[in-house]
């Protein structure tokens, strides 16, 4: 089974990225042949600073490796090191109905927020389809917001196979229901575009301040809170703390007597502890960038060999060769 996923280097990675995509991807690397990449072409739709892209791409590589991506088990590379994917995107775009892209939630959300989208934002799901199809991927672990893009990929693949003959493997998304949407510090979906993130790595003081700044209601500490399971800090605690610790906090909040300050302090400690090992690993990797770059170069070579084979299949099927 081939597993594939990508993540954009468009900002600092946060708990939503980690629980929604990175951890499932890391766990899956034992279950098949995993291909994971840094979607730098995709980041061009929204980030227009070259140096920032370079820096973010390296940061994502460090984050992913520190969190447990194992280059012995997974092929890890930068999207643009396999330029064949842009050629495949063209082959696919000619079979993609405009209406299908106009219907994509992520595109509609951007329109609704008043952005004036560039063509790249509109065409983005087609490039994503090319990413998936060019590696004959079976399974795509992503957060819920990407589900529709994998559905679009399937539609395009089916249409290509129907038009030009069996060429592509039809992929499935994998979405973890319990972490499908990680809430941000304001209770909405955690996202770098909403300014409500808790980063995976960063300065202790800043992150403590973010967590202590999570808004709570004005009920007194001693008041029982029957809706404790809906509390944002409890929801986040369930992700980063051992089950019994999270349950204990939840029960104390429900019974009354646990103040929000103490709850958030507990959340910070559990969160900080959860990433302690990864933090150490990240510091080691940062001091050994030659190794990190070597991993990406080796990954790109493997990915490119496979991509060339599949692209050739598509070129032949469609009469380009
Ligand atoms: P952002 O919303 O911060 O821009 P991306 O769109 O770059 O994040 O998402 C990268 C990956 O992380 C995707 O697979 C996405 O589904 C997942 N992801 C992002 N935010 C969340 C979240 N709050 N909950 C669950 N998964 C998320
Ligand atoms: N669109 C994804 C995101 O923003 C990133 C991505 C690009 C991706 N290509 C992909 C994810 C292929 C899975 C498979 O999160």
């Amino acid at each position: 089974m081939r597993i594939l996923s990508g993540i954009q280097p468009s900002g600092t990675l946060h708990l939503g990225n980690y629980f929604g995509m990175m951890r499932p991807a890391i766990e899956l690397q034992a279950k098949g042949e995993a291909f994971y990449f840094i979607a730098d072409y995709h980041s061009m739709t929204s980030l227009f600073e070259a140096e920032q892209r370079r820096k973010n791409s390296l940061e994502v590589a460090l984050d992913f490796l520190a969190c447990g991506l194992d280059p012995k088990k997974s092929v890890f590379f930068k999207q643009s090191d396999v330029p064949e994917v842009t050629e495949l995107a063209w082959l696919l775009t000619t079979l993609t109905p405009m209406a299908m892209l106009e219907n994509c939630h992520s595109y509609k959300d951007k329109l609704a927020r008043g952005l004036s989208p560039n063509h790249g934002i509109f065409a983005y799901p087609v490039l994503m389809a090319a990413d998936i199809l060019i590696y004959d991927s079976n399974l795509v672990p992503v957060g819920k917001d990407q589900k529709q893009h994998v559905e679009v990929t399937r539609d395009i693949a089916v249409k290509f196979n129907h038009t030009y003959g069996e060429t592509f493997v039809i992929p499935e998304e994998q979405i973890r229901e319990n972490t499908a949407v990680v809430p941000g510090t304001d209770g909405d979906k955690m996202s770098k575009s909403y300014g409500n993130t808790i980063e995976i790595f960063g300065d202790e003081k800043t992150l403590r301040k973010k967590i202590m700044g999570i808004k709570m209601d004005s009920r007194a500490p001693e008041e029982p809170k029957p809706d404790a399971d809906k509390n944002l800090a409890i929801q986040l605690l369930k992700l980063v703390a051992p089950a019994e610790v999270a349950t204990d906090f939840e029960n104390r909040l429900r019974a009354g007597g646990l103040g929000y300050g103490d709850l958030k302090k507990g959340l910070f400690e559990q969160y900080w502890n959860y990433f302690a090992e990864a933090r150490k690993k990240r510091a080691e990797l940062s001091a050994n960038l030659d190794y990190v770059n070597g991993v990406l170069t080796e990954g790109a070579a493997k990915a490119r060999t496979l991509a060339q084979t599949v692209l050739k299949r598509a070129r032949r099927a469609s009469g380009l060769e």
Side-chain angles (χ1 to χ4, degrees), residues 14 16-17 20-21 142-143 145-146 179-182 189-192:
H14 52 73
N17 300 137
M21 182 271 183
V142 281
D145 57 337
Q146 297 295 322
T179 49
V181 181
V182 177
K189 177 200 168 224
M190 188 179 290
S191 169
K192 52 189 168 276

Side-chain angles (χ1 to χ4, degrees), residues 87-99:
E87 182 179 343
L88 183 60
W90 178 255
L91 271 62
L92 302 179
T93 211
T94 56
L95 292 175
T96 308
M98 291 286 283

Side-chain angles (χ1 to χ4, degrees), residues 85-298:
V85 75
T86 60
E87 182 179 343
L88 183 60
W90 178 255
L91 271 62
L92 302 179
T93 211
T94 56
L95 292 175
T96 308
M98 291 286 283
M100 194 154 93
L101 299 178
E102 281 161 359
N103 249 326
C104 284
H105 303 307
S106 68
Y107 174 69
K108 287 202 284 200
D109 288 352
K110 285 183 181 116
L111 286 186
R113 277 192 279 134
L115 288 180
S116 147
N118 56 51
H119 178 250
I121 296 232
F122 182 67
Y124 176 114
V126 184
L127 180 58
M128 182 157 162
D131 289 328
I132 297 172
L133 300 177
I134 207 164
Y135 301 109
D136 280 344
S137 314
N138 305 105
L139 198 66
V140 184
V142 281
K144 205 174 187 172
D145 57 337
Q146 297 295 322
K147 181 176 163 49
Q148 194 183 25
H149 291 157
V150 185
E151 287 163 2
V152 165
T153 302
R154 261 199 307 273
D155 287 351
I156 298 175
V158 166
K159 188 148 179 210
F160 192 102
N161 288 353
H162 187 74
T163 308
Y164 295 122
E166 277 312 303
T167 307
F168 294 121
V169 171
I170 308 298
E172 294 282 335
E173 65 276 12
Q174 191 198 57
I175 292 158
R176 293 274 194 86
E177 275 316 318
N178 59 340
T179 49
V181 181
V182 177
T185 51
D186 56 358
D188 282 343
K189 177 200 168 224
M190 188 179 290
S191 169
K192 52 189 168 276
S193 26
Y194 303 158
N196 62 359
T197 53
I198 300 169
E199 282 67 36
I200 307 172
F201 299 107
D203 165 64
E204 182 170 357
K205 216 170 120 194
T206 314
L207 288 162
R208 185 193 300 272
K209 213 167 135 197
K210 273 197 179 187
I211 288 184
M212 294 310 290
I214 295 177
K215 287 233 164 23
M216 300 271 137
D217 56 48
S218 54
R219 284 179 288 178
E222 55 282 359
E223 202 178 312
K225 301 183 180 64
D227 53 352
D229 58 322
K230 307 247 165 30
N231 180 284
L232 184 55
I234 294 288
Q235 286 175 15
L236 292 170
L237 205 51
K238 283 181 181 164
L239 296 172
V240 294
E244 63 279 8
V245 174
T247 309
D248 180 53
F249 270 103
E250 188 178 341
N251 289 342
R252 281 162 56 205
L253 189 66
R254 182 170 293 115
L258 172 67
Y260 288 140
D262 286 337
L263 170 61
K264 289 189 274 187
K265 223 165 109 195
L267 170 62
F268 176 77
E269 278 159 16
Q270 292 297 325
Y271 149 78
W272 199 249
N273 192 31
Y274 185 89
F275 290 108
E277 210 177 300
R279 211 172 295 121
K280 221 169 89 197
K281 179 110 181 270
R282 197 180 191 285
E284 287 164 18
L285 290 162
S286 312
N288 195 357
L289 294 183
D290 284 350
Y291 166 78
V292 175
N293 288 319
V295 165
L296 294 176
T297 308
E298 209 177 295

Side-chain angles (χ1 to χ4, degrees), residues 12-115:
T12 310
L13 299 183
H14 52 73
L15 297 186
N17 300 137
Y18 179 77
F19 288 104
M21 182 271 183
M22 295 164 74
R23 197 178 67 171
I26 288 163
E27 284 172 12
L28 275 174
Q29 56 184 359
K31 303 241 161 64
E33 199 186 351
F35 279 60
Y36 297 134
F37 66 92
I38 302 166
D40 55 348
Y41 278 143
H42 276 96
S43 74
M44 299 188 82
T45 59
S46 60
L47 176 69
F48 302 95
E49 290 156 54
E51 206 38 61
Q52 195 63 42
R53 187 171 353 272
R54 233 171 255 128
K55 182 170 170 285
N56 288 356
S57 297
L58 179 63
E59 301 279 336
V60 169
L62 288 169
D63 288 355
F64 229 133
L65 290 168
C67 287
L69 187 146
D70 179 354
K72 289 198 198 74
K73 294 186 190 142
S74 300
V75 178
F76 187 38
F77 60 102
K78 219 165 66 167
Q79 182 185 29
S80 66
D81 283 339
V82 186
E84 284 79 1
V85 75
T86 60
E87 182 179 343
L88 183 60
W90 178 255
L91 271 62
L92 302 179
T93 211
T94 56
L95 292 175
T96 308
M98 291 286 283
M100 194 154 93
L101 299 178
E102 281 161 359
N103 249 326
C104 284
H105 303 307
S106 68
Y107 174 69
K108 287 202 284 200
D109 288 352
K110 285 183 181 116
L111 286 186
R113 277 192 279 134
L115 288 180

